[in-house]
């Protein structure tokens, strides 16, 4: 068996005389199916647990969760994680292996079938199987997503654990269900136990050929942000590791000690493509994780340099965070974390609402005015997405790049920002001004041109960046946004 152990990182600890180590490498190296892996060796006897994500490219939460779980230390046994089994599919957002013939394109049907004498089919399944069988896992957890809640729509396996019903999994699976269901309030959306992993799946082959206690954990993508789905995967895997006496830390370790770590809030109050666009802005420049309100309340921001709150509704984001989440964001920034708000996130950071975070010393133009023949209207609303012009200030050019003159940017009801003058909070600095405007109602005319489009400030030890328009939705402005985020996160 040819297994290339490209060791990217080795950390040795001494635990009761035994050596713990983290090793990393790549499966199918040099092919288009490359899959990074990471092994946490505790140095103590115990089970081998292998976690796989991203077998289906249109089920990104499994890859997200596995990408987080790969940073979990273990106190006994061995934890092996392959976060992105179908990298090209994840990149394209396709279930199948891109460019592969109909018969073999579903990676989770390419492993050895129950009645077959043939091994796995196709390069990625063969390479992954070599790796998996070489490690002889006691447990194999494959992280997937269904499109609907199984208890509501029996055609989907969403929100279930599909396991082999071995004696050991008969003990573990109920514990995993209990852990994940504790945070699911609607009875019909709770996870249920199903049988049996489909023929040709990695889980079934791992059970039948290797004797592993194997299972497929399915979240539900319908109306649930990715952060929530990945959190559910984490809760299930962590419950298993706790049961096996392997877990060394809690279930919400999301990152390692990578250079620049960014949390993008994607839960209640976030709309449109904001998180995806920020992903694109930072691709290759930062380790990015989606986080939800429950994650924020659990203190995950402390693991990051920067928190980004994208477009949607600032008041709804505040509501989803709840007082405990809002306090967690404030504490994070006060102690040196960075905050970047885009559109709604800049309402959230403002100082003029009772629900806003007061991280930035600005208020927003939001009074309600009686409009003849229309009625009473709040002035924040200026209509559908539109293109306006903005221009950087001298201070802005230092942070955001040497861009001269006015240029186009997408605008969609971002805040019209002006000084709040709140005591104890330093003044903000304009980094850009609007050079044109959009308006829906007469009293809005002339209130936008010349006002700050991007501002910077400080809150405690942290930096705060507020962007009213949507430069993150224009590839031509990715670099400008990236520079702003680097500044806010104090990237060295
Ligand atoms: Zn799947």
């Amino acid at each position: 068996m040819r297994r290339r152990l490209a060791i990217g990182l080795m950390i040795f600890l001494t635990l009761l005389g035994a050596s713990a180590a983290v090793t990393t490498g790549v499966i199918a190296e040099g092919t288009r199916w490359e899959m990074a892996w990471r092994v946490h060796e505790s140095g103590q006897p115990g089970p081998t647990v292998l976690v796989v994500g991203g077998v289906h490219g249109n089920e990104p939460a499994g890859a997200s969760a596995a990408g987080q779980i790969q940073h979990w230390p273990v106190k006994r046994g061995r934890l092996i994680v392959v976060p992105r089994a179908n990298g090209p599919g994840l990149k394209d957002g396709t279930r199948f292996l891109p460019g592969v013939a109909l018969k073999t394109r579903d990676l989770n049907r390419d492993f050895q079938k129950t009645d077959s004498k043939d091994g796995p089919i196709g390069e990625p399944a063969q390479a992954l199987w070599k790796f998996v069988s070489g490690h002889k896992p006691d447990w194999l957890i494959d992280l997937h997503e269904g499109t609907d809640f199984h208890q509501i729509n029996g055609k989907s396996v969403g929100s279930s654990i599909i396991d082999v019903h071995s004696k050991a999994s008969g003990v573990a699976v109920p514990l995993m269900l209990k852990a994940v269901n504790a945070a699911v309030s609607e009875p019909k959306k709770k996870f249920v136990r199903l049988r049996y992993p489909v023929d040709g799946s990695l889980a079934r082959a791992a059970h039948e050929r290797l004797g592993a206690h194997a299972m497929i954990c399915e979240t539900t993508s319908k109306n649930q942000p990715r952060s929530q789905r990945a959190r559910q995967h984490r809760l299930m895997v962590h419950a298993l590791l706790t049961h096996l006496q392997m877990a060394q830390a809690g279930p919400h370790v999301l990152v390692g000690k990578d250079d620049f770590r960014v949390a993008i809030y994607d839960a209640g109050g976030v709309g449109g493509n904001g998180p995806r666009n920020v992903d694109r802005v930072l691709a290759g420049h930062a380790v990015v994780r989606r986080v939800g309100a429950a994650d924020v309340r659990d203190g995950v921001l402390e693991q990051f340099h920067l928190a980004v709150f994208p477009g949607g509704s600032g008041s709804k984001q505040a509501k989803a965070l709840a007082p405990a989440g809002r306090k967690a964001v404030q504490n994070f920034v006060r102690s040196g974390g960075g905050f970047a708000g885009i559109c709604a996130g800049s309402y959230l950071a403002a100082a003029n609402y009772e629900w806003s975070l007061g991280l930035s010393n600005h208020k927003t133009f939001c009074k309600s005015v009686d409009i003849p023949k229309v009625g009473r209207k709040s002035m924040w609303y200026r209509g559908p997405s539109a293109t306006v012009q903005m221009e950087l200030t001298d201070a802005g050019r230092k942070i955001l790049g040497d861009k001269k003159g006015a240029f186009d940017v997408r605008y969609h009801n971002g805040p019209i920002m002006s000084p709040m003058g709140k005591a104890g909070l330093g003044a903000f600095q304009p980094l850009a001004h609007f050079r044109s405007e959009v308006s829906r109602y007469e009293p809005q005319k002339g209130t936008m041109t010349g006002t700050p489009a991007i501002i910077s400030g400080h809150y405690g030890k942290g930096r705060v960046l507020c962007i009213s328009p949507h430069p993150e939705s224009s590839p031509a402005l990715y670099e400008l946004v990236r520079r702003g985020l680097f500044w806010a996160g104090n990237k060295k």
Side-chain angles (χ1 to χ4, degrees):
M1 185 182 73
R2 177 187 162 275
R3 179 166 19 117
R4 186 159 167 190
L5 291 169
I7 296 170
L9 172 70
M10 296 197 76
I11 301 167
F12 290 96
L13 302 164
T14 302
L15 274 170
L16 302 170
S19 64
V22 176
T23 54
T24 64
V26 177
I27 299 163
E29 198 172 19
T31 76
R32 58 185 290 241
W33 307 113
E34 285 191 343
M35 307 166 208
W37 55 262
R38 185 180 285 251
V39 177
H40 284 257
E41 173 63 65
S42 69
Q44 298 298 319
T48 294
V49 176
L50 203 153
V51 177
V52 179
V55 165
H56 288 141
N58 62 338
E59 299 168 15
S64 292
Q68 298 160 3
I69 291 164
Q70 68 173 337
H71 297 290
W72 293 2
V74 286
K75 61 186 180 192
R76 78 179 193 118
R78 189 185 294 116
L79 175 64
I80 303 167
V81 187
V82 182
R84 299 170 65 85
N86 176 6
L90 285 162
K91 200 157 171 265
D92 292 0
T94 58
R95 173 181 179 84
F96 302 120
L97 298 160
V100 169
L102 196 72
K103 234 182 108 188
T104 53
R105 67 182 185 175
D106 189 338
L107 179 56
N108 215 28
R109 303 291 182 276
D110 286 346
F111 297 90
Q112 190 165 354
K113 295 197 168 156
T114 301
D115 297 324
S116 172
K117 287 192 171 61
D118 302 325
I121 314 159
E123 201 174 14
Q126 286 164 358
L128 182 54
W129 184 252
K130 255 188 189 177
F131 178 83
V132 169
S133 56
H135 279 286
K136 300 183 177 61
D138 298 295
W139 295 81
L140 184 135
I141 320 298
D142 192 8
L143 305 177
H144 282 250
E145 302 203 72
T147 52
D148 205 351
F149 301 92
H150 182 71
Q151 292 199 79
I152 294 171
N153 174 3
K155 285 183 184 147
S156 176
V157 290
S159 297
S160 75
I161 296 178
I162 309 163
D163 80 290
V164 297
H165 289 240
S166 67
K167 202 173 167 194
S169 72
V171 179
V173 170
L175 295 170
M176 297 166 75
L177 292 173
K178 193 179 168 201
V180 70
N181 282 336
V184 180
S185 52
E186 291 178 55
K188 290 276 185 197
K189 292 186 177 176
K190 287 191 187 282
F191 285 64
V192 292
R193 188 179 183 195
L194 300 175
R195 67 189 310 167
Y196 181 88
V198 63
D199 207 9
S201 66
L202 174 61
R204 182 148 164 174
H207 177 63
E208 292 177 347
R209 309 290 158 181
L210 307 175
H213 308 292
M215 65 185 84
I216 302 173
C217 293
E218 302 265 3
T219 66
T220 299
S221 55
K222 192 179 193 176
N223 300 328
Q224 302 196 111
R226 200 204 298 170
S227 63
Q228 185 185 355
R229 288 133 56 196
R231 183 181 169 91
Q232 292 179 331
H233 279 316
R234 289 200 309 274
L235 289 170
M236 289 186 273
V237 174
H238 193 268
L240 174 66
L241 296 178
T242 301
H243 167 61
L244 298 174
Q245 297 172 301
M246 292 171 68
Q248 196 173 76
H252 305 306
V253 172
L254 307 191
V255 283
K257 294 285 167 232
D258 307 278
D259 290 349
F260 189 56
R261 304 183 293 274
V262 180
I264 302 177
Y265 176 79
D266 74 345
V270 169
N273 292 319
R276 185 204 68 186
N277 291 337
V278 179
D279 279 346
R280 290 178 179 175
V281 164
L282 290 172
H285 297 272
V287 172
V288 176
R289 297 286 188 260
R290 302 284 181 88
V291 303
D295 298 321
V296 171
R297 287 192 292 272
D298 278 334
V300 301
L301 293 183
E302 308 305 327
Q303 300 170 40
F304 296 90
H305 295 104
L306 172 68
V308 181
F309 285 78
S313 158
S315 61
K316 285 179 184 163
Q317 289 179 11
K319 192 177 174 208
L321 287 168
R326 303 203 287 267
K327 195 161 199 153
V329 179
Q330 290 165 330
N331 289 343
F332 165 68
V333 183
R334 191 181 295 119
S335 60
F339 178 99
I342 301 175
C343 195
S346 299
Y347 283 99
L348 181 67
N352 59 307
Y353 299 98
E354 50 102 16
W355 48 260
S356 61
L357 299 177
L359 300 175
S360 173
N361 210 340
H362 74 268
K363 62 185 177 195
T364 66
F365 180 59
C366 61
K367 65 179 177 183
S368 291
V369 177
D370 285 312
I371 310 290
K373 293 174 191 159
V374 178
R376 194 162 179 83
K377 291 288 166 189
S378 178
M379 291 295 103
W380 68 266
Y381 182 71
R382 288 172 184 256
S385 179
T387 299
V388 298
Q389 292 224 300
M390 74 174 180
E391 183 176 6
L392 302 186
T393 63
D394 288 342
R397 274 188 283 275
K398 281 193 190 123
I399 291 173
L400 305 172
D402 194 16
K403 206 166 165 59
K404 291 195 173 70
F407 53 91
D408 285 349
V409 65
R410 189 171 80 82
Y411 172 83
H412 194 190
N413 296 314
I416 306 306
M417 302 183 286
S418 61
M420 178 77 181
K422 188 178 171 183
L425 190 60
F428 67 76
Q429 184 172 43
L431 303 184
H433 289 109
F434 286 117
R435 290 298 178 225
S436 69
E437 69 180 18
V438 286
S439 59
R440 180 101 174 168
Y441 308 112
E442 193 63 29
Q444 292 169 330
K445 286 191 176 147
T447 60
M448 180 171 170
T449 303
T451 66
I454 304 176
I455 62 175
S456 67
H458 292 82
Y459 180 81
K461 291 180 187 163
R463 295 177 171 185
V464 179
L465 180 75
C466 294
I467 303 175
S468 173
H470 283 287
E472 86 289 3
S473 60
S474 307
L477 299 177
Y478 280 3
E479 195 192 332
L480 178 149
V481 179
R482 189 156 59 232
R483 282 168 164 269
L485 298 182
F486 283 179
W487 176 84
N490 206 4
K491 185 179 188 295
K492 304 293 181 212

